[in-house]
Amino acid sequence: MEVISVSDGNLVLPGAMFFDGLPQDELDSILTPLNISRAQVEPPCNVTLLRHEDRVVLFDAGSGDGFMPSAGALIDSLDAVGVAPDDITHLVFTHGHPDHLWGVLDDFDDPVFTNAEHMMGQTEWDYWTNPNTVNTIGDVRASFAVGAARRLEAVEDRMSFFSDGDEVLPGIMAHATFGHTPGHTSFEVRSGTDALLVGGDAIGNHHIAFARPDWASGADQDPDLGAVTRARLLDKLSQEKITLLGFHLPDGGVGRVERKDSGYRFVSENM
């Protein structure tokens, strides 16, 4: 298996989304050594590309042109590694947020990855295609629900579904990591004794998510469940020494998880 991290650009988000309501003194002790601004964060968007036998697998579709000007670079990044959208055989989604899903359609609302089987967890699909989601997700994320429903309807005939624990493709197992969204899924990619977790947004940053995984995150739709999931994943990754590729982690998102004090730290690795 060959795994490549390709960039979709980055997001620009208010720091308050992550930091409001947290213990401020301890927060400073985490952010200051990493030179993280409280006012604004600019997390990268790392999309995972996997080549295995005759398959070219993309995990998530990026933002496309409709979400943020700083994101939407995926097609150019794929081109830089010699991959065209038509080369993708399987498009596997971690979840339905804009920076992971909206790139499935182009400016004319036509599918971008025309030869790819699209794959999503059944729980996640059911949530975003439920007409009532827009009324229950909250005002801040209502546009997420509208945008997801429209895009998923456009690619429904290309979509297949999986559940927790399924081998979605040879060597790729679905791992339910609910909390960030109701059906968020990570994927354990394994070849022999080598393993990598495509983590999506289950571990959403390299600072407070690692240092204090028990703190609720405003980025998660279910903050309490998200914290439980994050702690479980970090323990698994550190104990089993599984490489992590995180969608919003620095340096391409590839690294390992190490224990540090009462929490963890992310150690980038160059693949």
Side-chain angles (χ1 to χ4, degrees):
M1 293 180 171
E2 179 187 21
V3 176
I4 302 173
S5 174
V6 290
S7 176
D8 191 46
N10 66 276
L11 304 183
V12 179
L13 301 169
M17 178 177 175
F18 300 92
F19 307 138
D20 273 9
L22 300 179
Q24 297 302 299
D25 289 346
E26 190 171 353
L27 179 63
D28 280 339
S29 72
I30 296 168
L31 299 183
T32 300
L34 297 172
N35 198 30
I36 303 295
S37 168
R38 280 171 170 265
Q40 180 173 286
V41 292
E42 299 182 5
C45 298
N46 310 302
V47 179
T48 304
L49 176 71
L50 183 147
R51 291 188 178 105
H52 181 215
E53 297 176 345
D54 60 346
R55 289 175 287 276
V56 183
V57 184
L58 196 64
F59 293 88
D60 293 328
S63 298
D65 295 331
F67 187 46
M68 286 189 181
S70 57
L74 178 60
I75 302 304
D76 288 341
S77 295
L78 288 172
D79 181 66
V81 295
V83 176
D86 289 352
D87 295 332
I88 304 299
T89 61
H90 299 83
L91 179 58
V92 185
F93 295 99
T94 61
H95 64 296
H97 279 168
D99 49 330
H100 298 256
L101 171 65
W102 285 16
V104 294
L105 301 183
D106 63 18
D107 291 345
F108 301 98
D109 284 348
D110 291 325
V112 172
F113 302 97
T114 53
N115 294 325
E117 177 181 358
H118 293 39
M119 310 175 78
M120 178 176 275
Q122 187 71 61
T123 301
E124 189 75 353
W125 170 272
D126 291 346
Y127 176 73
W128 292 110
T129 57
N130 183 340
N132 198 42
T133 293
V134 69
N135 301 316
T136 58
I137 197 173
D139 292 345
V140 172
R141 292 187 172 99
S143 63
F144 291 11
V146 173
R150 181 170 70 81
R151 288 164 176 84
L152 292 176
E153 180 181 13
V155 297
E156 183 172 9
D157 61 341
R158 303 167 185 269
M159 192 72 70
S160 62
F161 306 101
F162 52 80
S163 300
D164 180 35
D166 287 352
E167 186 177 44
V168 298
L169 290 167
I172 303 173
M173 187 190 77
H175 188 89
T177 46
F178 299 170
H180 183 68
T181 61
H184 186 287
T185 303
S186 301
F187 300 93
E188 186 173 318
V189 178
R190 184 172 290 276
S191 178
T193 59
D194 293 330
L196 176 143
L197 187 80
V198 180
D201 285 2
I203 304 171
N205 59 70
H206 68 293
H207 35 85
I208 54 175
F210 281 80
R212 289 300 304 262
D214 57 313
W215 283 356
S217 172
D220 294 336
Q221 290 184 216
D222 184 335
D224 292 336
L225 180 57
V228 171
T229 295
R230 189 161 49 249
R232 172 172 56 82
L233 271 187
L234 288 167
D235 180 67
K236 174 183 174 69
L237 292 166
S238 63
Q239 292 285 348
E240 300 180 22
K241 302 189 184 308
I242 296 173
T243 300
L244 172 64
L245 205 166
F247 196 87
H248 293 305
L249 301 183
D251 302 321
V254 182
R256 65 184 188 275
V257 178
E258 293 183 349
R259 293 292 317 213
K260 181 184 179 184
D261 303 325
S262 60
Y264 302 85
R265 67 171 182 159
F266 178 68
V267 182
S268 300
E269 290 185 348
N270 183 5
M271 291 186 66

